[in-house]
Amino acid sequence: LDIRDTVKYKEVMKQYGLGPNGGIVTSLNLFATRFDQVMKFIEKRQNASKYVIIDTPGQIEVFTWSASGTIITEALASSFPSVVVYVMDTSRSTNPITFMSNMLYACSILYKTKLPFIVVMNKTDIIDHSFAVEWMQDFETFQDALNQETSYVSNLTRSMSLVLDEFYSSLKVVGVSAVLGTGLDDFFVQLSKAVDEYEREYRPEYERLRKTLEKAQNKQKREQLEHLWKDMGSVCVQGNTLTGSDDASAMGPSELILTRGTLDEEEERDSDTDDIDHEVTEESHEEPAFRNFMQETRMKYQRRSNLNE
């Protein structure tokens, strides 16, 4: 599947007057409204395919920290064993400050998604990733590399390295080369461990959250139903007070609703004007006509009496 077959990125930019990042975010938001179709497609193919790879936008603000990115991630994680793979360019991370920036990105994604996490250091055919692994395992070695930097950012990086020390301890790291295919065996080993971690730690949590949400929804439905019963019960009591009927008092709101239109044969002939009192309306028309007739008769009788006199 390709999102570009569903949403035209450049057309979105033109239609909404957006820039590059705004166009990507809006396109992803539009795609997220149809993501249930992607979920159905994955469900149909899950027996035939062992892995599903979803390549997300590299900009952290576009996917990781956007509403649509959260919707897509949670939809997948609630239905399938999901693992986040953070791919970094090893050849561009030889500078300790750039390396720290990549690690901060990885840490941010890990704590936002709350899913099993693997850092894949790509392009090991250009430079081996052992230097990065050493920086993560040996704090002093990373500090020595930072001492060669003289910019003010190096001081911030030195402080951040202390914070990320705990993050490194539980991080899965694999070096691969997409060109040569080296390291892929190690990657699949780490992937299997991440899936086991998902089944052991993350799935129970998602199940707990799902059950909590279902309980909250069921509770809300019960409260709405109770309010409806109370409202219908008050209407029933008021009706019994006005009519003085003892039979209707024994009936609950549901019985009144179900028997509506069958209690009396006259109700079957009711129209949309049931609230109009037809007898009062006819009398209101008959009274003026009768009054005029009596006045005319009285005047005729008086004229005849005057002529006879």
Side-chain angles (χ1 to χ4, degrees):
L1 296 177
D2 193 334
I3 187 176
R4 291 173 293 186
D5 297 334
T6 305
V7 183
K8 302 299 181 183
Y9 165 67
K10 293 184 178 179
E11 291 297 326
V12 171
M13 289 179 60
K14 292 179 181 178
Q15 183 175 353
Y16 296 99
L18 301 171
N21 280 359
I24 294 175
V25 172
T26 305
S27 298
L28 191 61
N29 292 340
L30 295 172
F31 184 75
T33 61
R34 303 290 182 87
F35 197 72
D36 59 317
Q37 299 179 15
V38 179
M39 295 291 292
K40 293 178 181 178
F41 179 79
I42 296 174
E43 290 174 358
K44 292 180 180 179
R45 298 293 302 273
Q46 63 180 346
N47 294 328
S49 302
K50 187 175 181 180
Y51 301 105
V52 176
I53 301 174
I54 298 178
D55 186 16
T56 63
Q59 298 93 324
I60 191 171
E61 70 278 3
V62 170
F63 185 81
T64 306
W65 292 99
S66 68
S68 54
T70 302
I71 291 171
I72 292 173
T73 303
E74 292 183 353
L76 291 168
S78 62
S79 302
F80 309 102
S82 302
V83 178
V84 178
V85 178
Y86 180 75
V87 182
M88 59 179 287
D89 189 339
T90 309
S91 62
R92 294 181 178 273
S93 300
T94 54
N95 184 288
I97 295 176
T98 307
F99 171 80
M100 179 56 62
S101 177
N102 267 308
M103 292 299 101
L104 288 174
Y105 272 139
C107 181
S108 174
I109 296 170
L110 170 64
Y111 288 109
K112 183 66 171 63
T113 58
K114 299 182 178 66
L115 288 170
F117 196 83
I118 302 175
V119 174
V120 174
M121 298 184 177
N122 193 21
K123 299 184 180 180
T124 55
D125 54 297
I126 298 176
I127 183 172
D128 191 73
H129 70 294
S130 57
F131 75 93
V133 175
E134 187 178 5
W135 283 352
M136 297 169 65
Q137 295 176 348
D138 191 344
F139 176 77
E140 295 298 333
T141 303
F142 184 70
Q143 294 301 313
D144 292 340
L146 276 177
N147 289 334
Q148 301 176 10
E149 299 292 331
T150 57
S151 63
Y152 71 95
V153 182
S154 62
N155 294 327
L156 176 62
T157 304
R158 187 175 288 104
S159 301
M160 292 302 300
S161 62
L162 292 171
V163 177
L164 294 181
D165 189 53
E166 184 178 355
F167 168 69
Y168 295 148
S169 61
S170 58
L171 191 63
K172 299 179 180 64
V173 180
V174 181
V176 301
S177 171
V179 175
L180 301 178
T182 55
L184 290 179
D185 292 338
D186 293 337
F187 169 72
F188 282 110
V189 170
Q190 295 295 336
L191 187 62
S192 298
K193 292 181 180 179
V195 171
D196 294 338
E197 181 183 351
Y198 171 89
E199 296 290 351
R200 184 178 63 255
E201 299 180 9
Y202 291 85
R203 185 180 287 278
E205 180 65 14
Y206 273 100
E207 289 294 329
R208 185 188 67 80
L209 293 175
R210 182 180 61 80
K211 291 180 180 179
T212 302
L213 180 60
E214 288 181 354
K215 288 181 180 179
Q217 291 175 344
N218 292 333
K219 182 180 179 182
Q220 185 179 8
K221 290 179 181 179
R222 287 196 301 269
E223 291 177 351
Q224 292 175 349
L225 186 59
E226 289 175 0
H227 286 308
L228 176 63
W229 274 82
K230 289 179 181 179
D231 294 341
M232 293 300 298
S234 63
V235 172
C236 179
V237 171
Q238 292 176 3
N240 293 336
T241 305
L242 293 175
T243 60
S245 174
D246 294 335
D247 295 336
S249 62
M251 301 175 64
S254 60
E255 286 84 354
L256 289 176
I257 296 172
L258 293 174
T259 57
R260 173 66 177 165
T262 60
L263 290 175
D264 194 342
E265 293 181 357
E266 292 182 357
E267 293 185 4
E268 295 179 359
R269 297 189 296 270
D270 288 347
S271 63
D272 294 336
T273 59
D274 288 344
D275 56 340
I276 300 177
D277 192 337
H278 296 285
E279 294 181 359
V280 175
T281 304
E282 291 175 359
E283 289 178 1
S284 63
H285 288 294
E286 290 176 356
E287 288 178 0
F290 181 76
R291 192 181 302 109
N292 293 335
F293 171 76
M294 292 297 295
Q295 288 179 356
E296 292 176 0
T297 304
R298 189 180 298 110
M299 291 176 64
K300 289 180 181 179
Y301 178 78
Q302 289 177 355
R303 284 197 298 269
R304 290 178 182 178
S305 299
N306 293 333
L307 293 174
N308 292 333
E309 292 178 354

